[in-house]
């Protein structure tokens, strides 16, 4: 989605591209901090957040607390502005502990190492 928005911005068609996403009441941005994004990617990501602010819903998962979001955006001011828009009407659910995938992988590796089979 970010690449599509980047292309639309390059073609000066970002506003219509964002408006096409308005047909969805909820957009899910999963693993937002998983991969370091370029300045162009974070710019359109911010524009998506700003566009949907107080208009449509976003569900965002991230492996970084808000205090570390300045590493996701090209500058601290953009990070603060994005956080401000995200948390204003948000319900924030913080999950501590090891991830399900990590636990499953560790169990799977243990089973394989002891001669067990994984399904």
């Amino acid at each position: 989605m970010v690449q599509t928005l980047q292309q639309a911005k390059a073609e000066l068609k970002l506003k219509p591209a964002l408006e096409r996403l308005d047909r969805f009441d909820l957009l899910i941005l999963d693993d937002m901090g998983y991969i370091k994004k370029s300045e162009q990617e974070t710019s359109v990501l911010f524009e998506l957040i700003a566009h949907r602010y107080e208009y449509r819903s976003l569900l965002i998962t991230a492996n970084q607390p808000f205090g570390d979001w300045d590493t996701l955006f090209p500058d601290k001011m953009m990070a603060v502005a994005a956080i401000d828009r995200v948390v204003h009407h948000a319900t924030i659910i913080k999950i501590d502990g090891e991830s399900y995938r990590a636990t499953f992988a560790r169990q799977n590796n243990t089973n394989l190492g002891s001669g067990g089979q994984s399904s």
Side-chain angles (χ1 to χ4, degrees), residues 75-118:
D75 63 60
K76 195 171 203 125
M77 293 300 290
M78 187 180 287
V80 169
I83 293 166
D84 183 58
R85 285 162 177 78
V86 168
V87 303
H88 183 220
H89 297 294
T91 299
I92 299 170
I93 301 170
K94 181 180 177 191
I95 301 172
D96 288 320
E98 191 169 6
S99 77
Y100 169 78
R101 291 181 193 114
T103 301
F104 180 79
R106 188 177 56 255
Q107 290 172 346
N108 193 30
N109 288 336
T110 301
N111 288 341
L112 291 174
S114 62
Q117 292 190 357
S118 173

Side-chain angles (χ1 to χ4, degrees), residues 1 4-5 16-29 48-49 51-59:
M1 177 173 53
T4 301
L5 292 175
L18 291 171
E19 289 171 349
R20 277 193 301 277
L21 294 173
D22 288 345
R23 67 186 172 145
F24 302 105
D25 291 330
L26 173 68
L27 287 182
I28 300 172
L29 305 178
L48 173 65
I49 291 169
H51 177 78
R52 292 186 70 87
Y53 173 62
E54 293 196 299
Y55 183 63
R56 293 279 191 253
S57 297
L58 285 172
L59 188 152

